[in-house]
Amino acid sequence: KQLFIRLMTGLREIPGINIFGITNLDRFDYRTPTVAFTLDGKTPREIAEYLGQHAPRIYVWDGNYYALALMLKLGLEGHGGAVRVGLGHYNTAEEVERFLQALKKI
């Protein structure tokens, strides 16, 4: 949970980031440590490709990741969907920081 709090806090500090889902830290017990986001001026594909080149061993997904109904509801289908990143029990604080630093440079 602490890693996810750091991830969400870092994402909210990046200008132009649009986060989908629960963002209130007091409600994090009601969500999984996965977040979907967009960045103004960049397509989800551009973000994923940039991270693939500049953040080794950090993996994200772009598109609708089979959540077509959700992307339609959010108005993102037809615009490339969103970027999705999630944490597991094997992730480290260093990986979260590396991801955030790479995203800030995009």
Side-chain angles (χ1 to χ4, degrees):
K1 183 175 176 180
Q2 293 306 311
L3 280 180
F4 189 58
I5 289 171
R6 175 62 194 123
L7 174 64
M8 289 291 280
T9 301
L11 283 173
R12 292 193 306 195
E13 294 170 352
I14 299 172
I17 289 278
N18 306 292
I19 299 171
F20 302 95
I22 297 170
T23 58
N24 182 336
L25 300 180
D26 295 332
R27 298 193 58 225
F28 272 15
D29 288 338
Y30 299 99
R31 67 167 299 151
T32 61
T34 300
V35 61
F37 68 91
T38 58
L39 178 61
D40 294 344
K42 298 290 181 186
T43 67
R45 173 64 48 97
E46 289 171 329
I47 296 166
E49 288 176 353
Y50 177 88
L51 291 170
Q53 294 170 2
H54 296 92
R57 297 187 327 263
I58 301 292
Y59 304 100
V60 301
W61 301 265
D62 69 281
N64 67 25
Y65 18 90
Y66 305 105
L68 179 60
L70 176 62
M71 292 298 148
L72 288 169
K73 177 95 172 155
L74 294 172
L76 299 174
E77 189 63 26
H79 299 283
V83 178
R84 178 180 174 204
V85 63
L87 299 175
H89 63 281
Y90 46 77
N91 290 116
T92 66
E94 186 274 332
E95 290 170 328
V96 170
E97 292 306 319
R98 204 159 34 87
F99 166 75
L100 292 170
Q101 292 307 314
L103 194 56
K104 287 177 184 177
K105 293 177 182 175
I106 195 167

